[in-house]
């Protein structure tokens, strides 16, 4: 039975789970519908600095950092030519409390949000 006032979210992907988490924190009743029986262990994108800012007070950030690896730089490589560019993420320090990249599987964030 579905509660009459529940908000239905179709898909337990990262966007759907983040929306469900946020709405549940606001005290709303959420029901998530997903075709898969469990969260896929996809690679997806790692959490961005803005994600860590957003999840900072909820305990989610600490779980992600524990499961991931912090890197202070970010590289882009041209595999054909061998060229690369490296960015020092420390330049973001005045804009975020997390001036680094967190290497963490998207599935970890999805599982934390689902619980």
């Amino acid at each position: 039975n579905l509660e009459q006032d529940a908000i239905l979210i179709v898909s337990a992907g990262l966007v759907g789970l983040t929306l469900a988490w946020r709405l549940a924190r606001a005290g709303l009743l959420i029901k998530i519908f997903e075709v898969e029986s469990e969260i896929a262990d996809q690679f997806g994108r790692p959490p961005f600095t803005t994600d860590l800012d957003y999840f900072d007070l909820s305990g989610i950030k600490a779980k992600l950092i524990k499961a991931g690896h912090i890197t202070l730089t970010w590289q882009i490589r041209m595999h054909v030519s061998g060229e690369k560019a490296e960015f020092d993420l420390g330049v973001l320090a005045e804009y975020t409390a997390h001036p680094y990249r967190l290497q963490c599987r998207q599935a970890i964030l999805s599982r934390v949000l689902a619980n």
Side-chain angles (χ1 to χ4, degrees):
N1 288 341
L2 190 61
E3 289 83 359
Q4 190 171 11
D5 294 334
I7 296 172
L8 306 179
I9 297 176
V10 179
S11 177
L14 188 57
V15 172
L17 289 171
T18 302
L19 176 61
W21 171 79
R22 184 69 179 131
L23 292 172
R25 285 180 54 93
L28 301 169
L29 180 62
I30 307 299
K31 294 291 180 181
I32 300 173
F33 291 88
E34 172 58 51
V35 69
E36 301 296 328
S37 60
E38 57 187 54
I39 293 173
D41 196 16
Q42 73 279 14
F43 280 96
R45 69 163 182 84
F48 293 130
T49 296
T50 52
D51 296 333
L52 295 176
D53 290 343
Y54 188 65
F55 295 131
D56 206 0
L57 299 177
S58 67
I60 291 175
K61 178 192 84 166
K63 292 176 183 177
L64 295 176
I65 289 175
K66 184 177 180 183
H69 177 76
I70 291 175
T71 59
L72 302 177
T73 60
W74 182 29
Q75 282 188 0
I76 297 176
R77 293 178 180 248
M78 301 294 286
H79 292 284
V80 175
S81 66
E83 294 174 280
K84 68 178 179 179
E86 185 169 290
F87 303 93
D88 176 2
L89 298 174
V91 300
L92 300 174
E94 69 180 270
Y95 304 105
T96 179
H98 312 98
Y100 50 79
R101 183 173 173 90
L102 178 64
Q103 303 293 338
C104 182
R105 296 175 71 93
Q106 179 178 319
I108 293 170
L109 174 55
S110 294
R111 285 187 186 100
V112 170
L113 288 168
N115 291 325

